[in-house]
Amino acid sequence: MTSTQQAPDILSAEFAADPYSAYRVMRDEFPLIWHEPMKSYIVSRYEDVERAFKDKDSAFTTDNYSWQIEPVHGRTILQLSGREHSVRRALVAPAFRGNALEEQFLPVIERNSRELIDAFRADGEADLVSQFATRFPVNVIADMLGLDKGDHEKFHGWYTSVIAFLGNLSQDPVVAEAGLRTRTEFAEYMIPIIQQRRDNLGDDLLSTLCAAEVDGTRMSDEDIKAFCSLLLAAGGETTDKAIASLFANLLQHPEQLAAVREDRTLIPRAFAETLRFTPPVHMIMRQTSSEVEVSGGLIPAGATVTCLIGAANRDDRRYAEPDTFDIFRDDLSSTSAFSAAADHLSFALGRHFCVGALLAKAEVEVGVNQLLDAMPDLALQDGFVPAETGVFTRGPQSVPVRFTPADRSGSAGAAQ
């Protein structure tokens, strides 16, 4: 057992500036840390985080979500277990896979990506974070749910507030209050829409949720509101950071960007490697139901455990040259990267594997394809090096790029 006086402190400014160096020290010297200010044990090695997520022995639970997530979202699928979890997942999961995703929502994804790109493709320069990544997934979700995309700023403000609440490791009371206020505001916005949609079902996702039934069980207005809140936060914040990081990584490795440009079947590989190398979510918590032994010692029953995804995904016990971005690595499968059998840990694993993983994959594939089609010579602005920020979630704040501007008719001007 180690002391936080010796180990890196995940609440420190040094950690926020460069977590990857701290992760290496934690994996090698302090694989189990008791962090007193957070009242949490911290695990950082791949084998320990993988075990916590797979939860085959039920030693790790999601009971922590009752205080970590429920105050802002309401009771969500994340904290359910047993039959209650399986029924709720069966109610929502079909919309995010197979024919429903392909036929109903792929055109929505393509349209939203195209609209955003058309707004700047004639400019010759853009910031892929503010002009594309932060808007794209939220616009898609709003469209999928049949909500007014004109309320984008509201949605963005809400999910930013929720993510700040979830990542409020230092228990800042202002952040906590804003998160709780968001739950009330979102409910006041969403419940009337849900009630109206029940009486006028359409072909949108919200209507699907209103009508869904499994074994005689249907979702209440509160259930649907909580799921929509979760979808906006998880599907907005994480996907926008994943898209921004994917481009930041490729643009800093021009030879790999060139390979993806020439062979678009490499996009899933580039996405999977981005999720491993620079995951949008760096930590997820679990709670122990019994005493459990992990690398470095014992965790008692009833303890909160902070699982460091960002550290586990760079564990040299699992990956060769883990601090190198390499879409061609042979120790990361892209075929299973968006399923519960993924090698990386960025979507969690097991029964709480991210229900929106295939939606995120579809958004990334469409967005990358359309951006590369519209801007074949896409490159970082001269001298710019993307810098990540964040602790709980993390990604580049800005990715300014230059390219040959399209003429106003839509063709790529001098690039033709």
Side-chain angles (χ1 to χ4, degrees):
M1 194 55 188
T2 57
S3 161
T4 51
Q5 292 181 330
Q6 302 165 284
D9 179 4
I10 69 174
L11 297 184
S12 68
E14 293 79 10
F15 179 88
D18 178 19
Y20 301 107
S21 295
Y23 290 154
R24 189 179 308 113
V25 174
M26 295 165 85
R27 288 190 307 265
D28 291 347
E29 300 179 32
F30 308 99
L32 179 62
I33 297 170
W34 167 251
H35 193 280
E36 179 64 30
M38 287 172 50
K39 297 291 189 286
S40 176
Y41 289 85
I42 301 174
V43 295
S44 52
R45 290 185 181 174
Y46 184 96
E47 63 174 335
D48 295 320
V49 176
E50 179 189 39
R51 179 184 175 191
F53 288 168
K54 281 188 172 178
D55 187 27
K56 285 183 177 178
D57 56 9
S58 298
F60 293 93
T61 74
T62 57
D63 291 349
N64 53 289
Y65 287 151
S66 64
W67 56 264
Q68 189 187 14
I69 285 181
E70 188 171 344
V72 285
H73 285 311
R75 197 159 180 262
T76 71
I77 191 172
L78 293 178
Q79 63 199 93
L80 304 181
S81 59
R83 183 180 182 280
E84 190 179 16
H85 175 268
S86 61
V87 168
R88 185 69 58 81
R89 193 171 178 100
L91 285 166
V92 302
F96 295 91
R97 63 181 184 229
N99 291 340
L101 181 60
E102 187 76 24
E103 297 170 10
Q104 191 173 359
F105 298 127
L106 194 57
V108 173
I109 295 169
E110 291 170 342
R111 180 177 67 250
N112 277 282
S113 175
R114 187 166 55 247
E115 287 174 354
L116 289 169
I117 293 170
D118 284 348
F120 60 75
R121 63 186 300 180
D123 297 344
E125 60 182 19
D127 182 351
L128 292 183
V129 175
S130 63
Q131 292 176 261
F132 188 80
T134 58
R135 307 191 74 87
F136 179 35
V138 182
N139 286 357
V140 167
I141 291 168
D143 250 7
M144 287 175 67
L145 291 169
L147 303 178
D148 183 355
K149 283 195 296 184
D151 289 329
H152 176 278
E153 295 308 321
K154 282 184 185 175
F155 301 143
H156 188 268
W158 283 331
Y159 86 64
T160 301
S161 176
V162 166
I163 292 295
F165 182 95
L166 303 183
N168 189 19
L169 305 179
S170 61
Q171 299 301 304
D172 183 325
V174 175
V175 172
E177 183 182 349
L180 297 174
R181 188 168 60 247
T182 290
R183 175 175 175 170
T184 301
E185 291 175 358
F186 187 71
E188 290 173 348
Y189 174 90
M190 203 70 211
I191 294 293
I193 295 175
I194 294 168
Q195 292 170 343
Q196 292 166 7
R197 204 64 53 89
R198 285 196 190 278
D199 296 331
N200 300 278
L201 294 177
D203 59 1
D204 54 83
L205 176 58
L206 191 55
S207 296
T208 300
L209 296 173
C210 287
E213 184 173 335
V214 172
D215 296 340
T217 298
R218 301 182 70 170
M219 295 174 73
S220 68
D221 292 355
E222 173 62 26
D223 291 338
I224 295 172
K225 184 274 299 179
F227 181 76
C228 292
S229 177
L230 179 65
L231 180 61
L232 269 170
E237 174 83 358
T238 60
T239 306
D240 80 38
K241 283 181 163 50
I243 292 170
S245 293
L246 172 59
F247 272 101
N249 289 333
L250 287 175
L251 288 162
Q252 291 177 95
H253 297 83
E255 72 292 345
Q256 296 185 57
L257 175 61
V260 171
R261 186 184 294 117
E262 291 303 311
D263 180 3
R264 304 299 175 82
T265 65
L266 292 174
I267 294 174
R269 276 184 168 269
F271 186 28
E273 175 65 349
T274 292
L275 290 171
R276 183 202 68 81
F277 185 67
T278 49
V281 178
H282 272 238
M283 56 190 73
I284 289 178
M285 292 182 179
R286 289 290 187 261
Q287 188 167 312
T288 53
S289 61
S290 58
E291 184 179 78
V292 58
E293 184 173 3
V294 297
S295 303
L298 293 172
I299 301 175
T304 300
V305 184
T306 300
C307 304
L308 296 183
I309 295 170
N313 277 346
R314 293 204 187 192
D315 191 340
D316 59 9
R317 297 160 189 79
R318 174 62 181 81
Y319 300 105
E321 299 185 31
D323 294 321
T324 298
F325 179 80
D326 179 10
I327 66 173
F328 299 107
R329 63 171 55 251
D330 57 14
D331 51 8
L332 180 70
S333 168
S334 61
T335 56
S336 64
F338 312 101
S339 74
D343 300 324
H344 65 84
L345 303 173
S346 297
F347 286 135
L349 295 169
R351 69 173 183 266
H352 288 287
F353 178 79
C354 175
V355 72
L358 291 177
L359 173 63
K361 178 175 181 281
E363 289 174 332
V364 166
E365 289 183 329
V366 167
V368 173
N369 268 308
Q370 289 191 0
L371 281 163
L372 293 181
D373 286 345
M375 303 150 198
D377 57 351
L378 188 71
L380 280 171
Q381 291 281 12
D382 292 344
F384 187 85
V385 179
E388 291 185 341
T389 60
V391 175
F392 177 69
T393 59
R394 190 171 176 86
Q397 281 193 307
S398 180
V399 181
V401 293
R402 55 179 173 78
F403 48 86
T404 301
D407 61 35
R408 294 299 171 180
S409 66
S411 60
Q416 297 298 306

